[in-house]
Amino acid sequence: MTVDIDASLITALVERWRLKTSTFHMSLGEVTITLEDVDTLSGLPIDGEAVIIDVPDQEWSATCMRLLGHAPTDLSGSVVRISWLREQFNHLPPNASS
């Protein structure tokens, strides 16, 4: 299975995420993401069996690099810190659509 990550979309969502309310702050107000949204945005099916990726701990860095284009230097097992995601994807690239 190949997963294409839209870095511009991830960056835009990270910029709009409000940790205190666990919502996205958009021009129309605060919104949250639903399972149906995950299906629409990612193309991952929400019916049937769960999608699980079995990655040994020592391969998470390479998996992050393959899927995100970056890998944290302080990985602890499969945990990627939200602060690292913010640092990597906080600014929209010049060619991002709004």
Side-chain angles (χ1 to χ4, degrees), residues 17-35:
W17 181 252
R18 298 299 178 254
L19 187 61
K20 196 177 234 183
T21 58
S22 296
T23 59
F24 295 100
H25 184 74
M26 305 294 195
S27 57
L28 57 101
E30 289 190 31
V31 296
T32 190
I33 193 163
T34 66
L35 196 52

Side-chain angles (χ1 to χ4, degrees), residues 40-91:
T40 301
L41 294 171
S42 69
L44 292 173
I46 58 172
D47 299 347
E49 299 296 316
V51 176
I52 299 171
I53 299 174
D54 185 19
V55 178
D57 284 351
Q58 64 272 18
E59 294 178 21
W60 269 102
S61 182
T63 301
C64 286
M65 184 60 76
R66 183 172 53 85
L67 296 176
L68 300 173
H70 303 281
T73 56
D74 62 344
L75 270 174
S76 175
S78 60
V79 175
V80 176
R81 298 184 188 284
I82 192 70
S83 59
W84 179 84
L85 288 171
R86 282 191 183 112
E87 289 171 13
Q88 299 301 312
F89 302 104
N90 195 35
H91 300 287

